[in-house]
Each structure stands twice: as C-alpha cells, then as structure tokens.
Amino acid sequence: MAILTSLTQLPLALYVHMPWCVKKCPYCDFNSHGLRGEPPYADYIDALLADLDGDIADVGEALHGRPIASVFFGGGTPSLFAPGHIARFLDGARARLDFAGDCEITLETNPGTVEHGRFDGYLAAGVNRLSFGVQSFDDAKLQRLGRIHSAAEAEQAVKQARDAGYDNFNVDLMYALPEQTLAGALADIERAAALGPAHISHYQLTLEPNTAFHAKPPPLPDEDSAWDMQEACQARLAEAGYTQYEVSAYAKPDRRCRHNLNYWQFGDYLGIGAGAHGKLTDAAGRVHRRWKRRHPRTYLNAADHPARTDGTQLVAADQLPFEYMLNALRLIDGVPMSDFATRTHLDDDAIAEALARCRANQWIEPGSTRLRTTPLGQRFLNDVIGTFMP
Ligand SMILES: C[S@@+](CC[C@H](N)C(=O)[O-])C[C@H]1O[C@@H](n2cnc3c(N)ncnc32)[C@H](O)[C@@H]1O
Ligand code: SF4
C-alpha cells in the first residue's frame, strides 16, 4: 500500500486477532489453532505491537486526526491471554494511537477459559465489553459441537463477569444445530435472555469448507426449518427487548456493537495479528486492503519485518458497489443513500441499474433516502447482494 497522504473522515477501528483455542471446534473455519503446549503469549504481544508499528510506518499519515473508535480482540480465543498481556497490548496501542474517550473495547471469551476469575483484570486493562461464545445451553448439543464447557459453566462465567462490573456483554448463540428442534432453539433464547446480556448474536450454523463438519456433515435441519427457527427466535428476542439490527445481531437500546457497525457501514479499520485484515480509504476514495501472515508461527517469525504483511490490494472501483452492499444490506435499517457516495467516492449512477432490478423484485425498498432491504430481500439476501457484482 502506498503511503496515504490525506484521508477521509471515515471512522477508524482496530481489530486484533488472537489465533489460539484450547481445542478446534469441528464447525469453525476461523484462523484458530488448537493448543499444542503453552502458546508464546508474551512473544505474541510483542509481535502485535511490532505489527502495529509496521502499519503506522506504512500508513501512519492516513491515521492522523482519526481516533480509534473501537477495538475488538477476536479469535481464536482472546480470553486465553491473561489480563496482564491484554493490558500490555492496550497500553502500547494507546501510546501509539489516539483512542476516542468512549472507545468500545471488546474481548471474545470462551466460557471454558475463564475459571480463574479474570474479569477484574480485563476491566482494569480497559476492556469494557465482553463477548461470550456460548453457542447453546443444551449440554448434549454443546458436546456435539465439540465445546469445552457446559451450559452451567457458561452461566457461571457470565455471572462472574457481571459481579466484576461488566454490564455490556454479548452472548453468541448458534441455531439450526444438529437435530435441533424449534423448541430447542427457543429454549436457548430463553436461557440467554435470562442472563440479561446487552447484546445477543444469533448465527445459523453453517458447514464451512475445510472443517470437520464439512468433511462429515451432521444431520442439520433443512433450510425451511432453519428459517422458521430464525423467525420464531427473532420474535421471542423482540419480546425480551432485543431489537434485530443486522442479520445475526440483536441488541438492547443503545447497545449495538459499535465495532461491527463500523464494518457494516463500510468504515475503516486496522487489522493486527495473524491473518488479520485491514481496510483504509484514502482521500481520493480508493479503498486499500492489507492482510497479515495467517499461520501464528509464520506471523511470529515475521512480525517485526515487512514480510508480516501477506498481501495488499487496491480494490477496483467496479468491485466497490458489491463490497459496499455486502456490508450495508446486512443492516436491517440499511444505510442513508448518501453514505454510498461518501464511503465509496462513487456516483449513485454506479448502482442505479442494479438497484432498479432489486426494486423490481421488491428486494429493496422504494424511495431515495435509504438503502434498505424489504423482508423479502432479507430472506434472499445473497441474491440481492449478487445483483451488485460487476
Ligand atoms: C471467534 S468465535 C467466538 C469466541 C470463541 N472463539 C468461542 O467460540 O467461544 C465467533 C463466533 O462465531 C460463531 N461461529 C463460528 N463458526 C460458525 C459456523 N460455522 N456457523 C455459524 N456460526 C459460527 C460462533 O457463535 C462463535 O462464538
Ligand atoms: S473456540 Fe471459537 S474460534 Fe476456537 S475453534 Fe471454537 S468457535 Fe472457533
């Protein structure tokens, strides 16, 4: 990526990838690696800071005057890292970058990794939001998913976090699990809502290539049953006070995840850590992507060297409508029409024809002020987004 000399006013976030898990789950295609001995925690934090220094050296001018609005430690299992490690990274990041006063700082947490009461430490380090990978409250389903924790342990972890002072936390659930019934999916929603999280992510289990489930698929509910589960759970979540604002995201008022909203609204972000992706827009509206070495060992070996960056790409202008819609149309309320031009620096003409086709199919609402899918468009979202392919 060339040095960017000026910038747009797009919000800026920081993603930090932590690539280890106690054990690889059979459905997961994230860049996560089951433990084989103790990970080099301290070296990895050093590598993250060196990686950040490298990005600042390469694109630092594009970061001036743009405070970091959110930080997200994703994985993998960031909660394998003790609070001291997280604090060292955040202190280092704050010394290098300007953080917004109300910066949202989220850490993904596997309930099977926090038995030592780490929450006070995370809070002291500056982590002000937690995301728990719970998946289900049915122990038989958890076993089937290869999870390392029981439902009771997940509830215990959430209660410990609350006792430590966390009120802003998310619970990840999956539905359409092997042999799951509608009643089973709804029971998971009840148990999640009873814990009073600020946010619930509700993902349909998908069979991803290169996973154990893909190689040997379990018996999953069919697409119609999955859709019925989604609709019934959405209604139950609404009754419990959680508004759906994205395909898989539900929140109490004012508790939407700012970090993920920034992705869906086509904001910019730095991506630090093994396999992390970043996106930066320059003043001319060109979108630059860069990504880091994927394997933790290769990443660690290259972290203080330009080779840590595995690739960069200047996104072709004719790809931007598709990339923009892929994100924006996931939002239930869509985005202001004017955002398309300010975030891609393209003319509305670039999407006029595809938009007309979507409207003719009643996939996108009529009117010129917002880009928003209809309920029919939400059901066939992949087809809608595909319309914007070059
Ligand atoms: C990086 S993981 C979250 C934190 C932690 N690694 C854990 O699993 O406890 C992000 C979330 O993605 C969801 N997820 C992962 N693989 C999925 C799949 N194949 N289909 C649907 N959701 C998936 C899970 O709900 C998971 O909690
Ligand atoms: S713990 Fe989370 S990131 Fe790790 S393998 Fe399981 S789902 Fe994937």
Side-chain angles (χ1 to χ4, degrees), residues 199-246:
H199 192 288
I200 295 178
S201 298
H202 192 234
Y203 300 110
Q204 178 178 349
L205 176 65
T206 50
L207 293 182
E208 302 291 344
N210 303 316
T211 60
F213 271 12
H214 194 264
K216 201 161 175 265
L220 297 184
D222 62 29
E223 268 306 306
D224 284 342
S225 311
W227 182 256
D228 290 345
M229 287 180 195
Q230 196 277 332
E231 283 202 314
C233 291
Q234 178 193 342
R236 183 65 201 98
L237 281 161
E239 276 169 28
Y242 297 92
T243 306
Q244 186 185 20
Y245 67 101
E246 186 265 351

Short mmCIF file of all heavy atoms in Angstrom, two decimals, residues 199-246:
data_model
loop_
_atom_site.label_atom_id
_atom_site.label_comp_id
_atom_site.label_asym_id
_atom_site.label_seq_id
_atom_site.Cartn_x
_atom_site.Cartn_y
_atom_site.Cartn_z
N HIS A 199 -26.51 -7.65 24.48
CA HIS A 199 -26.45 -7.97 23.05
C HIS A 199 -26.47 -9.48 22.89
O HIS A 199 -25.87 -10.20 23.70
CB HIS A 199 -25.14 -7.39 22.51
CG HIS A 199 -25.00 -7.35 21.03
ND1 HIS A 199 -24.80 -8.48 20.26
CD2 HIS A 199 -24.99 -6.31 20.17
CE1 HIS A 199 -24.67 -8.11 18.99
NE2 HIS A 199 -24.79 -6.81 18.91
N ILE A 200 -27.18 -9.97 21.88
CA ILE A 200 -27.16 -11.40 21.57
C ILE A 200 -26.86 -11.55 20.07
O ILE A 200 -27.50 -10.92 19.23
CB ILE A 200 -28.51 -12.08 21.91
CG1 ILE A 200 -28.74 -12.04 23.43
CG2 ILE A 200 -28.54 -13.53 21.41
CD1 ILE A 200 -30.06 -12.64 23.90
N SER A 201 -25.85 -12.37 19.75
CA SER A 201 -25.59 -12.71 18.34
C SER A 201 -26.16 -14.09 18.11
O SER A 201 -25.89 -15.02 18.89
CB SER A 201 -24.08 -12.71 18.05
OG SER A 201 -23.56 -11.43 18.27
N HIS A 202 -26.93 -14.25 17.05
CA HIS A 202 -27.67 -15.49 16.82
C HIS A 202 -27.35 -15.96 15.40
O HIS A 202 -27.91 -15.46 14.43
CB HIS A 202 -29.17 -15.19 16.98
CG HIS A 202 -30.05 -16.39 17.05
ND1 HIS A 202 -31.13 -16.58 16.21
CD2 HIS A 202 -30.02 -17.46 17.87
CE1 HIS A 202 -31.73 -17.72 16.53
NE2 HIS A 202 -31.07 -18.27 17.52
N TYR A 203 -26.38 -16.90 15.30
CA TYR A 203 -25.87 -17.32 13.99
C TYR A 203 -26.46 -18.65 13.57
O TYR A 203 -26.49 -19.59 14.38
CB TYR A 203 -24.35 -17.52 14.06
CG TYR A 203 -23.56 -16.30 14.45
CD1 TYR A 203 -22.92 -16.23 15.69
CD2 TYR A 203 -23.41 -15.23 13.58
CE1 TYR A 203 -22.18 -15.13 16.07
CE2 TYR A 203 -22.65 -14.12 13.93
CZ TYR A 203 -22.04 -14.07 15.18
OH TYR A 203 -21.29 -12.98 15.53
N GLN A 204 -26.84 -18.75 12.31
CA GLN A 204 -27.21 -20.07 11.78
C GLN A 204 -25.93 -20.88 11.59
O GLN A 204 -24.97 -20.41 10.95
CB GLN A 204 -27.94 -19.94 10.44
CG GLN A 204 -28.29 -21.30 9.86
CD GLN A 204 -29.08 -21.23 8.55
OE1 GLN A 204 -29.54 -20.16 8.16
NE2 GLN A 204 -29.21 -22.36 7.90
N LEU A 205 -25.89 -22.09 12.13
CA LEU A 205 -24.71 -22.95 11.95
C LEU A 205 -24.55 -23.24 10.46
O LEU A 205 -25.47 -23.73 9.81
CB LEU A 205 -24.88 -24.26 12.72
CG LEU A 205 -23.75 -25.28 12.52
CD1 LEU A 205 -22.42 -24.77 13.06
CD2 LEU A 205 -24.10 -26.62 13.15
N THR A 206 -23.38 -22.94 9.93
CA THR A 206 -23.13 -23.22 8.52
C THR A 206 -21.98 -24.22 8.40
O THR A 206 -21.08 -24.25 9.26
CB THR A 206 -22.77 -21.93 7.74
OG1 THR A 206 -21.72 -21.26 8.46
CG2 THR A 206 -23.95 -21.00 7.61
N LEU A 207 -22.05 -25.03 7.36
CA LEU A 207 -20.98 -26.01 7.11
C LEU A 207 -19.92 -25.33 6.26
O LEU A 207 -20.15 -25.06 5.08
CB LEU A 207 -21.54 -27.24 6.38
CG LEU A 207 -22.52 -28.10 7.16
CD1 LEU A 207 -22.95 -29.30 6.33
CD2 LEU A 207 -21.91 -28.58 8.48
N GLU A 208 -18.80 -25.02 6.86
CA GLU A 208 -17.75 -24.28 6.15
C GLU A 208 -16.73 -25.27 5.58
O GLU A 208 -16.37 -26.24 6.25
CB GLU A 208 -17.03 -23.33 7.12
CG GLU A 208 -17.94 -22.34 7.80
CD GLU A 208 -18.50 -21.28 6.85
OE1 GLU A 208 -17.97 -21.13 5.74
OE2 GLU A 208 -19.49 -20.63 7.23
N PRO A 209 -16.26 -24.99 4.33
CA PRO A 209 -15.21 -25.85 3.77
C PRO A 209 -14.02 -25.95 4.72
O PRO A 209 -13.77 -25.03 5.51
CB PRO A 209 -14.81 -25.11 2.48
CG PRO A 209 -15.98 -24.25 2.15
CD PRO A 209 -16.65 -23.90 3.45
N ASN A 210 -13.30 -27.04 4.63
CA ASN A 210 -12.10 -27.26 5.46
C ASN A 210 -12.40 -27.35 6.95
O ASN A 210 -11.58 -26.97 7.77
CB ASN A 210 -11.04 -26.18 5.23
CG ASN A 210 -10.63 -26.11 3.78
OD1 ASN A 210 -10.43 -27.15 3.13
ND2 ASN A 210 -10.56 -24.90 3.24
N THR A 211 -13.60 -27.82 7.30
CA THR A 211 -13.87 -28.09 8.72
C THR A 211 -14.25 -29.56 8.84
O THR A 211 -14.63 -30.21 7.85
CB THR A 211 -15.05 -27.24 9.24
OG1 THR A 211 -16.23 -27.55 8.49
CG2 THR A 211 -14.77 -25.75 9.13
N ALA A 212 -14.18 -30.08 10.07
CA ALA A 212 -14.52 -31.49 10.31
C ALA A 212 -15.99 -31.74 9.96
O ALA A 212 -16.34 -32.79 9.42
CB ALA A 212 -14.24 -31.84 11.77
N PHE A 213 -16.87 -30.77 10.27
CA PHE A 213 -18.30 -30.94 9.95
C PHE A 213 -18.54 -31.00 8.45
O PHE A 213 -19.46 -31.65 7.98
CB PHE A 213 -19.13 -29.79 10.56
CG PHE A 213 -19.63 -30.06 11.96
CD1 PHE A 213 -19.14 -31.13 12.71
CD2 PHE A 213 -20.60 -29.24 12.53
CE1 PHE A 213 -19.60 -31.37 14.01
CE2 PHE A 213 -21.07 -29.47 13.82
CZ PHE A 213 -20.56 -30.53 14.56
N HIS A 214 -17.73 -30.28 7.69
CA HIS A 214 -17.90 -30.29 6.24
C HIS A 214 -17.50 -31.64 5.68
O HIS A 214 -18.17 -32.20 4.79
CB HIS A 214 -17.06 -29.17 5.61
CG HIS A 214 -17.42 -28.88 4.18
ND1 HIS A 214 -16.76 -29.42 3.11
CD2 HIS A 214 -18.40 -28.09 3.67
CE1 HIS A 214 -17.30 -28.97 1.99
NE2 HIS A 214 -18.30 -28.17 2.30
N ALA A 215 -16.42 -32.19 6.24
CA ALA A 215 -15.94 -33.50 5.77
C ALA A 215 -16.96 -34.59 6.11
O ALA A 215 -17.14 -35.53 5.34
CB ALA A 215 -14.58 -33.80 6.40
N LYS A 216 -17.58 -34.47 7.29
CA LYS A 216 -18.53 -35.50 7.73
C LYS A 216 -19.75 -34.78 8.30
O LYS A 216 -19.85 -34.55 9.51
CB LYS A 216 -17.85 -36.34 8.82
CG LYS A 216 -18.48 -37.69 9.00
CD LYS A 216 -17.51 -38.63 9.74
CE LYS A 216 -18.20 -39.94 10.03
NZ LYS A 216 -18.79 -40.02 11.34
N PRO A 217 -20.67 -34.34 7.43
CA PRO A 217 -21.75 -33.46 7.89
C PRO A 217 -22.70 -34.13 8.87
O PRO A 217 -23.14 -35.26 8.63
CB PRO A 217 -22.50 -33.12 6.59
CG PRO A 217 -21.57 -33.46 5.49
CD PRO A 217 -20.71 -34.58 5.98
N PRO A 218 -23.01 -33.45 9.96
CA PRO A 218 -24.03 -33.96 10.88
C PRO A 218 -25.42 -33.70 10.29
O PRO A 218 -25.54 -32.90 9.36
CB PRO A 218 -23.79 -33.10 12.13
CG PRO A 218 -23.22 -31.83 11.61
CD PRO A 218 -22.47 -32.16 10.36
N PRO A 219 -26.45 -34.35 10.81
CA PRO A 219 -27.81 -34.12 10.27
C PRO A 219 -28.36 -32.78 10.73
O PRO A 219 -28.75 -32.62 11.89
CB PRO A 219 -28.62 -35.29 10.85
CG PRO A 219 -27.86 -35.75 12.05
CD PRO A 219 -26.43 -35.35 11.89
N LEU A 220 -28.35 -31.80 9.82
CA LEU A 220 -28.81 -30.45 10.17
C LEU A 220 -30.27 -30.26 9.74
O LEU A 220 -30.72 -30.87 8.77
CB LEU A 220 -27.95 -29.40 9.47
CG LEU A 220 -26.47 -29.36 9.83
CD1 LEU A 220 -25.78 -28.20 9.12
CD2 LEU A 220 -26.26 -29.25 11.34
N PRO A 221 -31.01 -29.38 10.43
CA PRO A 221 -32.37 -29.03 9.99
C PRO A 221 -32.31 -28.45 8.56
O PRO A 221 -31.30 -27.83 8.18
CB PRO A 221 -32.79 -27.94 10.98
CG PRO A 221 -31.89 -28.11 12.16
CD PRO A 221 -30.61 -28.67 11.64
N ASP A 222 -33.37 -28.66 7.76
CA ASP A 222 -33.34 -28.12 6.40
C ASP A 222 -33.54 -26.60 6.43
O ASP A 222 -33.82 -26.01 7.48
CB ASP A 222 -34.38 -28.82 5.50
CG ASP A 222 -35.81 -28.62 5.99
OD1 ASP A 222 -36.09 -27.58 6.61
OD2 ASP A 222 -36.65 -29.51 5.77
N GLU A 223 -33.37 -25.98 5.26
CA GLU A 223 -33.38 -24.50 5.19
C GLU A 223 -34.71 -23.91 5.67
O GLU A 223 -34.73 -22.86 6.32
CB GLU A 223 -33.08 -24.03 3.77
CG GLU A 223 -31.60 -23.78 3.50
CD GLU A 223 -30.93 -22.82 4.49
OE1 GLU A 223 -31.42 -21.69 4.69
OE2 GLU A 223 -29.89 -23.21 5.08
N ASP A 224 -35.83 -24.56 5.33
CA ASP A 224 -37.13 -24.04 5.78
C ASP A 224 -37.25 -24.09 7.30
O ASP A 224 -37.73 -23.14 7.93
CB ASP A 224 -38.29 -24.83 5.14
CG ASP A 224 -38.48 -24.43 3.68
OD1 ASP A 224 -37.98 -23.35 3.29
OD2 ASP A 224 -39.11 -25.21 2.94
N SER A 225 -36.79 -25.20 7.91
CA SER A 225 -36.84 -25.30 9.38
C SER A 225 -35.93 -24.24 9.99
O SER A 225 -36.26 -23.61 11.00
CB SER A 225 -36.38 -26.66 9.86
OG SER A 225 -37.04 -27.68 9.17
N ALA A 226 -34.76 -24.03 9.36
CA ALA A 226 -33.82 -23.02 9.88
C ALA A 226 -34.47 -21.63 9.82
O ALA A 226 -34.33 -20.83 10.75
CB ALA A 226 -32.52 -23.05 9.09
N TRP A 227 -35.18 -21.36 8.72
CA TRP A 227 -35.84 -20.05 8.60
C TRP A 227 -36.93 -19.90 9.66
O TRP A 227 -37.08 -18.84 10.27
CB TRP A 227 -36.41 -19.88 7.18
CG TRP A 227 -37.05 -18.55 7.00
CD1 TRP A 227 -38.38 -18.27 6.97
CD2 TRP A 227 -36.38 -17.28 6.87
NE1 TRP A 227 -38.59 -16.91 6.82
CE2 TRP A 227 -37.38 -16.28 6.76
CE3 TRP A 227 -35.03 -16.89 6.83
CZ2 TRP A 227 -37.07 -14.92 6.61
CZ3 TRP A 227 -34.73 -15.54 6.69
CH2 TRP A 227 -35.74 -14.58 6.58
N ASP A 228 -37.69 -20.98 9.90
CA ASP A 228 -38.72 -20.94 10.95
C ASP A 228 -38.09 -20.64 12.31
O ASP A 228 -38.62 -19.86 13.10
CB ASP A 228 -39.47 -22.29 11.04
CG ASP A 228 -40.35 -22.51 9.81
OD1 ASP A 228 -40.60 -21.54 9.07
OD2 ASP A 228 -40.78 -23.67 9.61
N MET A 229 -36.94 -21.26 12.57
CA MET A 229 -36.25 -21.01 13.85
C MET A 229 -35.84 -19.55 13.94
O MET A 229 -36.01 -18.89 14.97
CB MET A 229 -34.99 -21.88 13.96
CG MET A 229 -35.26 -23.33 14.22
SD MET A 229 -33.69 -24.24 14.33
CE MET A 229 -34.31 -25.90 14.17
N GLN A 230 -35.29 -19.04 12.84
CA GLN A 230 -34.82 -17.65 12.84
C GLN A 230 -35.99 -16.72 13.15
O GLN A 230 -35.88 -15.84 14.01
CB GLN A 230 -34.20 -17.34 11.47
CG GLN A 230 -33.33 -16.10 11.43
CD GLN A 230 -34.14 -14.83 11.23
OE1 GLN A 230 -35.21 -14.85 10.64
NE2 GLN A 230 -33.65 -13.73 11.75
N GLU A 231 -37.13 -16.96 12.49
CA GLU A 231 -38.29 -16.06 12.68
C GLU A 231 -38.85 -16.15 14.09
O GLU A 231 -39.16 -15.14 14.72
CB GLU A 231 -39.38 -16.41 11.66
CG GLU A 231 -39.05 -15.88 10.28
CD GLU A 231 -40.30 -15.74 9.42
OE1 GLU A 231 -41.12 -16.69 9.40
OE2 GLU A 231 -40.43 -14.69 8.76
N ALA A 232 -38.97 -17.39 14.60
CA ALA A 232 -39.54 -17.57 15.94
C ALA A 232 -38.60 -16.98 17.00
O ALA A 232 -39.05 -16.32 17.95
CB ALA A 232 -39.78 -19.05 16.20
N CYS A 233 -37.30 -17.19 16.82
CA CYS A 233 -36.34 -16.66 17.79
C CYS A 233 -36.30 -15.13 17.74
O CYS A 233 -36.20 -14.46 18.78
CB CYS A 233 -34.95 -17.24 17.54
SG CYS A 233 -34.85 -19.00 17.93
N GLN A 234 -36.38 -14.60 16.54
CA GLN A 234 -36.39 -13.13 16.37
C GLN A 234 -37.58 -12.54 17.13
O GLN A 234 -37.44 -11.52 17.83
CB GLN A 234 -36.48 -12.82 14.88
CG GLN A 234 -36.55 -11.37 14.53
CD GLN A 234 -36.96 -11.18 13.06
OE1 GLN A 234 -36.87 -12.10 12.25
NE2 GLN A 234 -37.40 -10.00 12.74
N ALA A 235 -38.76 -13.17 17.00
CA ALA A 235 -39.96 -12.67 17.68
C ALA A 235 -39.78 -12.76 19.20
O ALA A 235 -40.12 -11.82 19.94
CB ALA A 235 -41.18 -13.46 17.23
N ARG A 236 -39.21 -13.87 19.66
CA ARG A 236 -39.02 -14.05 21.11
C ARG A 236 -38.00 -13.04 21.65
O ARG A 236 -38.16 -12.49 22.75
CB ARG A 236 -38.57 -15.50 21.37
CG ARG A 236 -38.41 -15.87 22.82
CD ARG A 236 -39.74 -15.83 23.57
NE ARG A 236 -39.53 -15.69 25.01
CZ ARG A 236 -39.59 -14.54 25.68
NH1 ARG A 236 -39.84 -13.39 25.07
NH2 ARG A 236 -39.38 -14.52 26.98
N LEU A 237 -36.97 -12.81 20.85
CA LEU A 237 -35.95 -11.83 21.26
C LEU A 237 -36.56 -10.43 21.34
O LEU A 237 -36.27 -9.67 22.27
CB LEU A 237 -34.77 -11.85 20.28
CG LEU A 237 -33.79 -13.01 20.49
CD1 LEU A 237 -32.93 -13.24 19.24
CD2 LEU A 237 -32.89 -12.74 21.70
N ALA A 238 -37.43 -10.11 20.38
CA ALA A 238 -38.08 -8.79 20.39
C ALA A 238 -38.91 -8.63 21.66
O ALA A 238 -38.87 -7.58 22.32
CB ALA A 238 -38.94 -8.62 19.14
N GLU A 239 -39.65 -9.69 22.04
CA GLU A 239 -40.45 -9.64 23.27
C GLU A 239 -39.57 -9.39 24.49
O GLU A 239 -39.96 -8.73 25.45
CB GLU A 239 -41.16 -10.98 23.50
CG GLU A 239 -42.47 -11.14 22.74
CD GLU A 239 -42.96 -12.58 22.80
OE1 GLU A 239 -42.65 -13.29 23.77
OE2 GLU A 239 -43.61 -12.99 21.84
N ALA A 240 -38.35 -9.95 24.44
CA ALA A 240 -37.43 -9.79 25.57
C ALA A 240 -36.66 -8.47 25.52
O ALA A 240 -35.79 -8.23 26.37
CB ALA A 240 -36.46 -10.98 25.60
N GLY A 241 -36.94 -7.63 24.50
CA GLY A 241 -36.32 -6.30 24.46
C GLY A 241 -35.09 -6.20 23.58
O GLY A 241 -34.36 -5.21 23.63
N TYR A 242 -34.84 -7.24 22.75
CA TYR A 242 -33.66 -7.22 21.86
C TYR A 242 -34.12 -6.96 20.44
O TYR A 242 -34.83 -7.77 19.85
CB TYR A 242 -32.91 -8.55 21.92
CG TYR A 242 -32.35 -8.85 23.29
CD1 TYR A 242 -33.09 -9.59 24.21
CD2 TYR A 242 -31.10 -8.38 23.67
CE1 TYR A 242 -32.61 -9.85 25.48
CE2 TYR A 242 -30.60 -8.63 24.94
CZ TYR A 242 -31.35 -9.36 25.83
OH TYR A 242 -30.86 -9.60 27.08
N THR A 243 -33.71 -5.83 19.88
CA THR A 243 -34.08 -5.46 18.52
C THR A 243 -33.05 -5.99 17.55
O THR A 243 -31.84 -5.78 17.74
CB THR A 243 -34.16 -3.93 18.39
OG1 THR A 243 -35.04 -3.45 19.40
CG2 THR A 243 -34.67 -3.51 17.03
N GLN A 244 -33.54 -6.66 16.50
CA GLN A 244 -32.61 -7.12 15.46
C GLN A 244 -32.15 -5.92 14.65
O GLN A 244 -32.99 -5.17 14.12
CB GLN A 244 -33.31 -8.14 14.54
CG GLN A 244 -32.35 -8.75 13.54
CD GLN A 244 -33.05 -9.67 12.54
OE1 GLN A 244 -34.25 -9.58 12.34
NE2 GLN A 244 -32.27 -10.52 11.90
N TYR A 245 -30.84 -5.72 14.53
CA TYR A 245 -30.37 -4.61 13.70
C TYR A 245 -29.48 -5.07 12.56
O TYR A 245 -29.09 -4.29 11.70
CB TYR A 245 -29.66 -3.54 14.55
CG TYR A 245 -28.36 -3.96 15.18
CD1 TYR A 245 -27.13 -3.59 14.63
CD2 TYR A 245 -28.33 -4.72 16.35
CE1 TYR A 245 -25.94 -3.96 15.20
CE2 TYR A 245 -27.13 -5.10 16.94
CZ TYR A 245 -25.94 -4.72 16.36
OH TYR A 245 -24.75 -5.10 16.93
N GLU A 246 -29.15 -6.37 12.56
CA GLU A 246 -28.34 -6.95 11.48
C GLU A 246 -28.78 -8.40 11.37
O GLU A 246 -29.43 -8.93 12.28
CB GLU A 246 -26.85 -6.81 11.85
CG GLU A 246 -25.86 -7.23 10.79
CD GLU A 246 -25.37 -8.65 10.92
OE1 GLU A 246 -25.65 -9.31 11.95
OE2 GLU A 246 -24.73 -9.13 9.98
#
